[in-house]
Amino acid sequence: ALRLTPRSLTDLKPSTGPDGGIVFDLTDVRLAEVLLISRRREVLEGVRNRWQGFTERLAAVDKISFAEYAAERKRAAAARKKREVTERRALFEKYATLSAWRVAASEALGAYGVTAPELWNPTGEKYNARTWWAARGKHKPEDIKGLRWKAPRSGPVVVAINYVPHNRYRLRLRDSDGKLLREDILPERYPSRSTVTQWKVDLPEDAAVEFVELGRDAAGGEMWGRVSPQAYFLPAQ
């Protein structure tokens, strides 16, 4: 048997009780402690081995105060944010310098403008992103929210759209009659930082590309997105 606390791992020595059962003498048991009792010695040995890997990290934490720890976390977060901004700017500049078609959204599907500093803003708009919201119970599963772009040309292209991957959004391709030709789901990501999707698709004449979220009655009844109204259409080759 083992007694695991946030600071130590110790063996528990059992004794035999009056009725022949196993007894452990515990003067106190704190909230964050674990008592591990097993008939299998390999289970206990596995826990001991794992604990040895934690002791060095635990000792490192013990060497600094909470104020020092918090300051270091703050410095690390600032460095990470600066790195993300640099990487994001380089990615956007790549699209801006390529021979491409930058297309403004031709239709907002229940969406309205918001300011999203994490999204690229090449045109300097006040509202450089689109979002959507629906109160609980006020929409149907077949309802969609999002944006639609009129394709500037036909043929194989890569569609680049800047968005924040908070929910599971869908990329859709429709023909000139509105028929759905293709649909791909963009996976959720955590943390939900700004990113660019690169969707390779063969566009028919007068096609439309959609970035949408289906209606859903989630906890709180909320649907929302953060997506740039500007999309790039690059030749696939």
Side-chain angles (χ1 to χ4, degrees):
L2 296 175
R3 181 173 182 169
L4 178 63
T5 79
R7 299 291 176 185
S8 64
L9 180 69
T10 56
D11 286 280
L12 291 176
K13 302 300 182 184
S15 58
T16 303
D19 58 354
I22 297 174
V23 176
F24 294 97
D25 184 16
L26 303 172
T27 56
D28 66 331
V29 179
R30 298 180 181 273
L31 182 63
E33 294 185 359
V34 175
L35 305 178
L36 179 61
I37 304 170
S38 176
R39 293 178 180 273
R40 298 170 56 191
R41 187 174 298 275
E42 62 269 23
V43 172
L44 304 182
E45 291 304 319
V47 173
R48 284 195 185 93
N49 293 336
R50 291 288 299 275
W51 176 255
Q52 291 302 318
F54 290 132
T55 52
E56 292 183 7
R57 292 155 60 184
L58 188 62
V61 173
D62 281 341
K63 292 177 181 178
I64 63 174
S65 67
F66 178 78
E68 293 170 323
Y69 167 77
E72 180 57 34
R73 284 289 298 271
K74 189 174 181 179
R75 284 193 294 269
R80 184 175 62 251
K81 184 176 181 179
K82 182 178 180 181
R83 184 175 64 252
E84 290 170 0
V85 169
T86 301
E87 293 173 351
R88 193 161 63 238
R89 184 180 295 119
L91 182 62
F92 297 150
E93 288 174 353
K94 166 186 159 184
Y95 291 107
T97 55
L98 288 172
S99 175
W101 297 269
R102 189 178 71 198
V103 180
S106 57
E107 189 176 353
L109 308 172
Y112 56 90
V114 293
T115 299
E118 68 269 31
L119 296 185
W120 189 39
N121 192 7
T123 59
E125 297 178 64
K126 179 181 179 181
Y127 301 117
N128 67 313
R130 301 294 181 270
T131 190
W132 45 89
W133 184 87
R136 174 183 256 178
K138 300 296 184 182
H139 55 271
K140 302 175 182 177
E142 61 268 21
D143 292 341
I144 63 170
K145 304 279 185 174
L147 296 178
R148 179 179 292 137
W149 292 270
K150 180 75 174 177
R153 54 162 287 172
S154 60
V157 299
V158 173
V159 184
I161 301 172
N162 185 203
Y163 73 107
V164 177
H166 181 75
N167 293 324
R168 297 185 69 190
Y169 302 120
R170 297 166 188 256
L171 290 171
R172 287 178 163 182
L173 175 64
R174 295 187 183 275
D175 64 14
S176 56
D177 295 324
K179 180 181 178 182
L180 183 62
L181 303 178
R182 177 177 166 184
E183 178 180 87
D184 291 331
I185 297 177
L186 291 168
E188 294 178 85
R189 297 181 189 175
Y190 182 82
S192 55
R193 303 187 182 105
S194 172
T195 190
V196 175
T197 181
Q198 301 176 64
W199 196 41
K200 189 172 183 179
V201 62
D202 195 357
L203 297 171
E205 198 72 35
D206 296 323
V209 171
E210 295 178 346
F211 180 103
V212 299
E213 182 181 1
L214 297 187
R216 58 190 174 89
D217 214 3
E222 191 175 353
M223 295 164 45
W224 77 277
R226 290 287 189 276
V227 56
S228 171
Q230 309 286 336
Y232 277 104
F233 289 76
L234 297 84
Q237 61 269 25

